Amino acid sequence: MDLRWSAEEQEFRREARTWLEANVPRQPLPSGDTRAGFAAHLAWEQRLFAARWSVVSWPEAYGGRDATLWQWLIFEEEYYRAGAPQRVTQNGIFLLAPTLFAFGTPEQQQRLLPRMAAAEDVWAQGWSEPGAGSDLAAISSRAVRDPAGGGWRLSGQKTWTTRGAFCTHLFGLFRTDPAAERHHGLSYLLLPLDAPGVTVRGFQRLDGDEGFAEVFLDDVFVPDADVLGGVDQGWAVAMATTGSERGLTLRSPGRFLHTAERLVRTARAHPEPTGALRDRVVQGWIDAQAYRLFTLEQVTAISEGRPVGAESSLNKLFWSELDVRLHETALELLGPQAELDSPWSRGFLFSLAGPIYAGTNEIQRTIVAERLLGLPRK
């Protein structure tokens, strides 16, 4: 692994930093998990797209810059360094898009990717169900063949759908062969949330934001053109998406480097922390740097054609628990001020969800035990 940046990469960083410093909103936007905040974030992302910064690693034909994975990491570092707004299009751009590039037909890619890059279509993830939780193979939502219509009829319920109350489209798994065993007979389908038979019901999270939703599907028609990766082949397609979700594409190091730097500034701005609290500030900063180095090693592996596979579970365990530790330390530094509504208090509430979403950390530890360490299943 070579940690030196090339002249081209340094120039890319300079261009990104210059644009971000000139264009990032001076005042923080409202939460993207509220209706008003979501609209404000969309306007920001459309501005990113107009300057070709919304999907830097995508081909130019779809609105990107053909940037390398290294350049994408550089952009992410600069994005968070500049304090730019959270991406409300992340489920589409960071999770569905890599899967579309790997499994989508040319027609699907040409139809879906440009609108995703421009924040015209905003995608929600339809994984969780009331009876399945993090056990993705246990989903019961069904897709029944409609030979006359040339497609599928969907029935069932999805829940914990992040920003589902505001998104325009949903991707998810559906059981197309009820007689098949758990990991078989599933298909990965794409659908608009305004299709006949779809009911979206939003609900509030712990922090009061209203973007979560339950999605009810009652005989919803999906054409064959919106099956991604082949009928009954959904498990392999979904594993590609979860690899992106648990790995580096959803949670790049830039996010945690920025939070660790904020933690150091918070420590400096308050009475000098001593003892264990001081050590935790230092450890948080070291851990963020360690995650960056681990990610750079993974990018090296990908660049050399080595598969990452189940190692994405290590990423998910590390970044989700690091996020909680960083915010807990900040709240202790703040003392009674931590009771007030602030970026730290809101960030702490959100960090508590990290060990749950993208597959609970209990699931990730099981994957690490069985697939990386070779331990017996029971």
Side-chain angles (χ1 to χ4, degrees):
M1 181 171 65
D2 187 349
L3 296 179
R4 295 169 297 183
W5 299 112
S6 68
E8 183 182 4
E9 289 161 346
Q10 292 179 45
E11 173 57 24
F12 183 86
R13 183 186 293 278
R14 186 201 61 76
E15 184 184 358
R17 180 176 295 186
T18 300
W19 189 88
L20 288 164
E21 287 180 347
N23 288 278
V24 167
R26 298 292 177 231
Q27 297 298 322
L29 301 181
S31 167
D33 292 296
T34 63
R35 188 168 295 281
F38 188 81
H41 281 255
L42 277 189
W44 158 249
E45 298 216 25
Q46 287 160 358
R47 192 172 176 182
L48 271 179
F49 173 73
R52 294 195 305 117
W53 288 114
S54 69
V55 286
V56 296
S57 61
W58 290 16
E60 292 184 7
Y62 302 132
R65 289 173 174 253
D66 270 326
T68 66
L69 197 50
W70 298 106
Q71 289 172 320
W72 173 77
L73 282 171
I74 290 170
F75 177 74
E76 287 284 296
E77 289 184 2
E78 293 301 320
Y79 190 87
Y80 285 102
R81 176 185 175 277
Q86 178 188 24
R87 302 290 298 271
V88 296
T89 55
Q90 63 181 16
N91 280 340
I93 288 174
F94 297 143
L95 303 186
L96 175 58
T99 315
L100 271 169
F101 280 119
F103 295 92
T105 65
E107 185 279 328
Q108 287 174 327
Q109 293 169 356
Q110 291 167 12
R111 172 163 52 94
L112 301 174
L113 289 170
R115 293 183 60 81
M116 191 187 302
E120 293 174 344
D121 295 342
V122 186
W123 290 81
Q125 186 184 52
W127 285 160
S128 297
E129 297 187 1
S134 289
D135 187 359
L136 195 57
I139 64 167
S140 59
S141 290
R142 295 180 304 152
V144 177
R145 184 72 186 146
D146 180 352
W152 299 83
R153 295 281 176 182
L154 311 187
S155 299
Q157 179 186 353
K158 302 292 182 179
T159 190
W160 307 115
T161 309
T162 303
R163 300 189 193 93
F166 315 131
C167 288
T168 61
H169 290 70
L170 180 137
F171 60 92
L173 274 185
F174 295 84
R175 190 158 292 284
T176 40
D177 182 357
E181 296 183 1
R182 279 168 48 86
H183 300 90
H184 302 277
L186 298 164
S187 296
Y188 195 117
L189 300 175
L190 315 170
L191 63 143
L193 286 172
D194 62 355
V198 177
T199 301
V200 178
R201 187 166 66 195
F203 60 91
Q204 290 185 339
R205 301 186 317 200
L206 176 65
D207 60 8
D209 288 352
E210 55 190 342
F212 270 27
E214 296 174 297
V215 179
F216 298 89
L217 304 154
D218 182 13
D219 200 32
V220 178
F221 178 74
V222 171
D224 288 331
D226 287 332
V227 177
L228 180 57
V231 175
D232 293 340
Q233 303 302 312
W235 185 256
V237 186
M239 289 304 97
T241 301
T242 58
S244 298
E245 184 178 28
R246 296 164 186 168
L248 59 91
T249 54
L250 181 63
R251 292 289 178 257
S252 65
R255 171 193 175 104
F256 304 105
L257 292 172
H258 176 65
T259 304
E261 293 290 347
R262 285 175 54 219
L263 179 63
V264 172
R265 289 198 297 272
T266 300
R268 286 172 174 162
H270 286 76
E272 186 71 16
T274 58
L277 188 54
R278 179 187 174 91
D279 290 347
R280 287 169 59 187
V281 173
V282 175
Q283 191 62 52
W285 186 88
I286 291 173
D287 288 347
Q289 296 294 330
Y291 181 60
R292 179 176 187 262
L293 291 173
F294 179 73
T295 302
L296 294 177
E297 198 284 327
Q298 281 201 316
V299 172
T300 299
I302 293 170
S303 301
E304 295 174 350
R306 289 181 278 141
V308 173
E311 289 185 20
S312 62
S313 292
L314 294 174
N315 289 55
K316 202 276 177 171
L317 283 166
F318 195 87
W319 61 249
S320 62
E321 296 179 359
L322 171 62
D323 205 25
V324 175
R325 292 197 301 273
L326 291 171
H327 284 85
E328 284 180 338
T329 305
L331 296 189
E332 288 198 35
L333 284 167
L334 292 172
Q337 294 181 43
E339 300 293 329
L340 304 175
D341 184 38
S342 71
W344 278 122
S345 61
R346 293 180 70 83
F348 171 69
L349 290 178
F350 184 77
S351 76
L352 297 178
I356 301 173
Y357 67 77
T360 66
N361 283 10
E362 288 78 8
I363 292 287
Q364 305 313 312
R365 286 191 163 84
T366 298
I367 293 172
V368 170
E370 296 177 355
R371 301 185 194 174
L372 296 181
L373 302 181
L375 298 179
R377 288 182 174 272
K378 291 184 180 178

